[in-house]
Amino acid sequence: MSRVAYVNGQYVPHSRAAVHIEDRGYQFADGVYEVCEIWKGQIVDQTEHLERLDRSLRELAIRAPMARGALIRVMREVIERNRVKDGLIYIQVTRGVARRDHYFPPEDTPPSIVMTAKSVSATKNEAAAEQGVSVITTPENRWARVDIKTVGLLPNVLAKQKAKEAGAKEAWFVDKDGFVTEGGSTNAWIVLNDGTLVTRPADHGILRGITRSVVMKLAEMKGISVQERAFTVEEAKSAREAFITAASALVMPVTRIDDTVIANGAPGSIARDLRKTFHDAAELIKLGGA
Ligand code: PDD
C-alpha cells in the first residue's frame, strides 16, 4: 500500500511529497510540530495536542494554517488514507515560503502545513517495554524555550545519536546543576521507594508532554502521588524505578542509566502498570473505516 502525505492543501504520494527550498522550516527551522498516537483506530489526546500546537504557533507568532475543525478533518483523512490503526500522525506548520531573509516574511505569507501518518508495530513497542530501555546522560545544550515544540531539534538529534551509538534508546539532558531536564524526545520520570512519582516541573526547561499530563491524571486516579520537582542523575540511578513518556513511546521503563542498572534491572511494576492502563486516562476519538 502506498503512503499518502498532505502538503499545503493536497494529498500527494509520500514518495513525491515536497516543500519549496525556501520554506522557512527548511531554512531556519522556523516551524513547529505535533505527534499524536493512533491506538486501535482511535486518535489519542487530540484536543491536548492541538491546544499545544496552537500555543507553539502563538509563541512564535506564526498564523494558524487553518481552523481547528478543518485541521481535524485533514488529520482523519491522512490517517484513513494511510490505513493506520496503530501508529503516529505527524503535523508540521512553518512560517511559510519566502525569499531567504531572517526577518519575518510579509504578513500575507501563508504558513506551510504538512501531515504524514505511519503505522508502528504495537508488538515491537511492547517487546521494548518488556525489556526496558537504557538511557545515557548528556549536558543540556538547548535553547531556553524548549517548552515550544519547534522543529529545531539538532541538539536532540545529536544527543539521541550519541545514545544510539552507546547502545541506548534515549539521552537525558542534564542541566549545569546536575538535574535531569528531559530526554531527547521524551519526558523523564523516577519512582521513589514509597511509590511516589517524580518529574521535573513543566517550566521553560522542558516540553510539557501530553503523555506526561495524562500519566499525572492516571496517577491521581490510582491514588499514586506525584512530585513535580527536579531530580539529579544520582537520585535517578538509585531510584526504585525510572521511565520515560512520549506519544511515540507511551510509558517506557528505563532499566539502565549510563553504566548503572536500575533496581534489579527489570522494568518496575509501577511503570508497567501505568503503561498497561495509560489509555484509561487518555482522550480517545474513534476514526471511521481506518
Ligand atoms: N516527542 N520532550 C521532548 C523533547 C519531545 O520531543 C517529546 C515528544 C516529549 C513528550 O511529549 P508528548 O508526551 O506530548 O509526546 C517530551 C515526539 C513524540 C517526537 O518528537 O517524535
Side-chain angles (χ1 to χ4, degrees):
M1 213 258 326
S2 54
R3 290 179 67 196
V4 174
Y6 176 83
V7 184
N8 294 325
Q10 288 183 313
Y11 296 93
V12 292
H14 188 270
S15 56
R16 291 210 305 275
V19 293
H20 194 274
I21 55 164
E22 287 198 301
D23 190 284
R24 291 182 63 97
Y26 182 62
Q27 294 198 322
F28 296 113
D30 189 0
V32 302
Y33 75 105
E34 276 299 325
V35 178
C36 303
E37 188 204 5
I38 303 152
W39 180 70
K40 297 187 175 172
Q42 302 164 99
I43 308 185
V44 181
D45 298 320
Q46 170 183 282
T47 309
E48 296 271 329
H49 282 279
L50 294 184
E51 292 284 323
R52 188 173 64 187
L53 178 65
D54 283 347
R55 176 183 182 275
S56 297
L57 290 168
R58 267 198 319 275
E59 290 292 326
L60 300 183
I62 298 176
R63 272 200 285 135
M66 55 178 83
R68 172 80 63 97
L71 193 76
I72 291 170
R73 279 197 294 281
V74 176
M75 286 171 71
R76 296 178 75 92
E77 190 73 24
V78 170
I79 296 166
E80 285 163 17
R81 284 186 189 227
N82 288 284
R83 296 189 169 76
V84 176
K85 286 200 158 153
D86 292 288
L88 298 170
I89 178 159
Y90 178 83
I91 306 166
Q92 179 176 314
V93 180
T94 76
R95 205 181 303 275
V97 175
R99 199 169 91 157
R100 188 178 183 280
D101 189 348
H102 292 68
Y103 305 114
F104 287 2
E107 285 280 336
D108 58 354
T109 306
S112 299
I113 174 160
V114 307
M115 281 193 216
T116 55
K118 66 177 179 190
S119 295
V120 175
S121 154
T123 39
K124 214 170 140 196
N125 275 348
E126 283 317 307
E130 284 297 314
Q131 283 266 279
V133 298
S134 301
V135 305
I136 61 159
T137 57
T138 191
E140 178 65 85
N141 60 355
R142 299 174 299 162
W143 74 322
R145 290 306 308 276
V146 296
D147 57 305
I148 307 171
K149 201 163 171 58
T150 80
V151 295
L153 291 173
L154 192 52
N156 309 58
V157 165
L158 296 177
K160 288 194 70 110
Q161 180 62 24
K162 185 172 154 195
K164 188 176 177 185
E165 286 168 11
K169 179 81 179 163
E170 181 59 295
W172 279 1
F173 290 112
V174 180
D175 70 16
K176 59 181 188 342
D177 301 316
F179 292 99
V180 174
T181 54
E182 63 178 335
S185 62
T186 58
N187 289 121
W189 300 71
I190 57 171
V191 182
L192 306 181
N193 277 335
D194 67 358
T196 300
L197 309 184
V198 181
T199 195
R200 193 177 173 109
D203 47 24
H204 287 176
I206 66 164
L207 181 76
R208 186 188 292 271
I210 307 302
T211 319
R212 173 185 178 281
S213 305
V214 173
V215 166
M216 284 186 174
K217 194 167 129 199
L218 183 62
E220 198 185 332
M221 282 160 57
K222 290 173 182 282
I224 297 173
S225 46
V226 179
Q227 285 177 13
E228 275 188 276
R229 64 162 174 87
F231 58 85
T232 62
V233 176
E234 289 320 306
E235 188 180 11
K237 285 181 176 173
S238 58
R240 169 172 152 184
E241 297 185 26
F243 62 91
I244 52 179
T245 56
S248 52
L250 291 184
V251 177
M252 184 60 73
V254 169
T255 47
R256 177 188 283 264
I257 300 169
D258 294 327
D259 290 328
T260 305
V261 171
I262 306 306
N264 66 357
S269 58
I270 294 181
R272 285 167 65 105
D273 177 64
L274 292 170
R275 180 181 182 84
K276 208 167 68 206
T277 53
F278 175 81
H279 294 101
D280 294 352
E283 176 199 43
L284 302 172
I285 299 178
K286 244 191 133 28
L287 293 153

